[in-house]
Amino acid sequence: MYIVLLGAPGAGKGTQAALLSEKLKLAHISSGDLFRQALANGTELGKQAKMYMEKGQLVPNEVTIKMVLDRITAPDCKNGIILDGFPRNLEQAGALDKALIETGEKIDHAVYIKVSEAELLSRLTGRWVCRGCQAPYHEISSPPKKAGVCDKCGGQLYQRADDNTQTIKKRLQVFFAETAPLIDYYSKAGKLVEMQGEGSMEEISQRIISGLKTKAKK
Ligand code: AMP
């Protein structure tokens, strides 16, 4: 099964992709994590992406598409994938469809997690992430037991450089201008599963799974 997760920054794509990848045994591919890893490793790819990420802009398509299409050819993707943060515009979606067709595959479902703008802002400004396992926390709604330390792996928590008010606003603008048209793109292809992204992590995950089951029966 090939699934795309759509949603504004802060909608919970990363959290839900991690849960779904465990439950459905799919490889979780996050384009943002691939860029952050490249940045941390000081690679050429990281250097190319840095300025765009800091400004909350999209990294150019030629760089992003190549990175993700290379990643999905890895052996762990054979049973299917869940894409988190990619595609983010129509050109990326077209390139993904084309690459999958060449291997006899296709995107089965695009899940759009919908969250109000006020909620997105509050989630992103209070977000902390584990450097080790990427587990997300929120300083008010889901704080770690010990400040600055991941409950799951003991790793150090940090605030992403792009989770500041100015960059968040730019990222939301980019989402509505460039990524939101994908809702229509996947809807026209009969692949869209849309749901409310407010509630507990487990509630939303169940909502997504039952939405996928209902869609598969149609
Ligand atoms: P994310 O972790 O998904 O919020 O992504 C963080 C940043 O990485 C974004 O603000 C972009 O600068 C870059 N990025 C991630 N995915 C993509 C993509 N599909 N296309 C272009 N840039 C991306």
Side-chain angles (χ1 to χ4, degrees), residues 8-10 13 30-36 49-61 64-65 67-68 84-89 92 124 127 160 162-163 167 171 174:
K13 296 186 298 297
S30 154
S31 45
D33 283 350
L34 291 175
F35 281 132
R36 278 183 288 279
K50 188 172 189 279
M51 182 190 81
Y52 299 98
M53 294 175 77
E54 281 172 355
K55 290 188 180 161
Q57 295 169 346
L58 294 186
V59 178
N61 283 336
T64 309
I65 291 170
M67 172 184 79
V68 176
D84 150 19
F86 182 94
R88 256 189 163 85
N89 58 30
Q92 293 180 7
L124 291 169
R127 174 160 79 174
R160 277 172 46 171
D162 57 354
D163 279 348
T167 314
R171 286 158 65 206
V174 168

Side-chain angles (χ1 to χ4, degrees), residues 41-117:
N41 294 338
T43 65
E44 190 50 41
L45 175 67
K47 285 179 197 149
Q48 285 175 319
K50 188 172 189 279
M51 182 190 81
Y52 299 98
M53 294 175 77
E54 281 172 355
K55 290 188 180 161
Q57 295 169 346
L58 294 186
V59 178
N61 283 336
E62 59 270 28
V63 176
T64 309
I65 291 170
K66 183 179 183 317
M67 172 184 79
V68 176
L69 296 189
D70 281 352
R71 174 66 185 87
I72 65 177
T73 59
D76 66 324
C77 296
K78 289 246 161 7
N79 290 333
I81 51 178
I82 178 145
L83 283 165
D84 150 19
F86 182 94
R88 256 189 163 85
N89 58 30
L90 289 166
E91 191 180 332
Q92 293 180 7
L96 176 64
D97 282 347
K98 188 163 170 270
L100 290 178
I101 286 171
E102 281 165 13
T103 59
E105 304 289 352
K106 63 174 174 30
I107 294 299
D108 298 292
H109 308 288
V111 177
Y112 172 42
I113 310 177
K114 210 171 161 181
V115 174
S116 73
E117 214 171 320

